[in-house]
Amino acid sequence: MVCFRQHEDRPVSDKIISMRWNAFMDLIAIGLSSGDVCAHRLVNWQKIWVLSWPSNSKSTDEKNRLEINGIEWRPDGKMLAIGYNKNVKHLDSNNEQSSIALVDIENGDVIDVVVLNEVVTCLCWQVKMDFDANFDYDINPFNNFLEKLPPLSKSYSTGYSRKMGKNNVDDLLKVSSQNALNILAIGTKTGQIYFYSFGIFLVGLIDVKSKMSVDSISLSNNLGLVNVLLTKHSE
């Protein structure tokens, strides 16, 4: 029988909603009830960065506060996807949109924001694992087929601004450096599942059930099978 014992006890500023360990680095991403996300080193609990949306702190209505509905690392551990219940580009608006922010783990910069017209409930980011041993992955085929993305604005309409090292999303997300296809799957409250290759290109949509909420998604190693956990809406 394996015995476990507690080594340390680390405090955080608010209630923890979600957290994920980085599979390649000594980092843990923590989503808080305040709507903030912070990255800590596991060894000494050093705080690397905090992602906070200023417009959210001004809200006094608890029902309209920004909430975190999912956190997921990109399979290579270099990018973090954060699912929010609101559109972080327009936090002052009362629209029904939600969003996924893609964050650079080195400095917490928001690289891109995916906006959906329904509430995000969960995230899953999986890489295709069945590599061809005879294929030369040093010659990356994705460079030949991926659409060149336009430059991004250096500030969002919320007034939230971060310093951007470059102006091109393709360079910032390092899409051309990916040696294998990876898919970010996004579940929603209305039973929709969106699939984004490399986290930015919409490549598929599955409508599971209109009266069911997607609570969890799991993709197989070859991306050929999707397991979905659903919850029926209360009448």
Side-chain angles (χ1 to χ4, degrees):
M1 180 177 178
V2 179
C3 295
F4 295 92
R5 63 187 179 91
Q6 180 177 317
H7 286 275
E8 295 184 62
D9 185 3
R10 299 291 187 174
V12 293
S13 58
D14 287 285
K15 180 181 178 181
I16 296 175
I17 302 300
S18 180
M19 62 182 182
R20 289 289 186 275
W21 283 11
N22 190 310
F24 293 94
M25 307 176 195
D26 65 328
L27 293 175
I28 185 169
I30 302 175
L32 304 175
S33 59
S34 62
D36 294 348
V37 175
C38 50
H40 288 265
R41 292 199 180 278
L42 291 172
V43 176
N44 56 11
W45 206 243
Q46 176 188 359
K47 186 179 291 184
I48 307 302
W49 48 258
V50 177
L51 175 60
S52 179
W53 300 90
S55 297
N56 182 55
S57 61
K58 300 176 183 178
S59 176
T60 57
D61 187 355
E62 293 295 330
K63 294 182 179 180
N64 292 325
R65 296 272 301 177
L66 185 67
E67 297 178 356
I68 297 169
N69 289 351
I71 295 178
E72 198 69 36
W73 292 102
R74 196 169 72 178
D76 64 0
K78 296 180 179 180
M79 197 71 59
L80 184 68
I82 307 169
Y84 294 98
N85 67 326
K86 298 181 66 178
N87 183 353
V88 293
K89 290 185 176 181
H90 301 285
L91 285 175
D92 296 330
S93 173
N94 292 324
N95 58 54
E96 299 297 325
Q97 294 178 324
S98 62
S99 57
I100 297 90
L102 301 180
V103 183
D104 188 338
I105 68 164
E106 292 185 3
N107 46 29
D109 282 352
V110 177
I111 304 304
D112 195 16
V113 175
V114 176
V115 178
L116 299 177
N117 291 320
E118 47 196 319
V119 178
V120 172
T121 54
C122 61
L123 304 174
C124 174
W125 209 334
Q126 176 65 40
V127 64
K128 194 171 188 289
M129 300 295 291
D130 54 342
F131 298 108
D132 185 350
N134 298 318
F135 182 77
D136 184 4
Y137 285 97
D138 290 333
I139 304 175
N140 198 312
F142 301 122
N143 292 333
N144 300 325
F145 301 104
L146 292 179
E147 179 183 356
K148 194 71 172 179
L149 295 179
L152 280 180
S153 169
K154 296 191 178 187
S155 62
Y156 294 114
S157 57
T158 58
Y160 182 80
S161 177
R162 283 186 175 270
K163 183 178 180 181
M164 306 286 279
K166 301 178 183 178
N167 287 329
N168 189 278
V169 182
D170 187 47
D171 294 330
L172 284 166
L173 290 181
K174 301 177 182 178
V175 172
S176 60
S177 68
Q178 302 296 291
N179 291 329
L181 175 65
N182 59 75
I183 296 290
L184 174 61
I186 305 170
T188 71
K189 191 174 182 179
T190 56
Q192 307 280 336
I193 303 175
Y194 294 85
F195 298 92
Y196 284 81
S197 62
F198 307 101
I200 52 177
F201 300 100
L202 179 61
V203 294
L205 170 63
I206 295 177
D207 187 356
V208 183
K209 287 283 186 179
S210 59
K211 294 184 179 181
M212 303 287 278
S213 175
V214 181
D215 285 351
S216 178
I217 305 171
S218 177
L219 294 171
S220 62
N221 288 342
N222 65 358
L223 304 181
L225 180 66
V226 184
N227 294 311
V228 184
L229 177 63
L230 302 170
T231 298
K232 185 176 181 181
H233 291 169
S234 57
E235 299 296 339

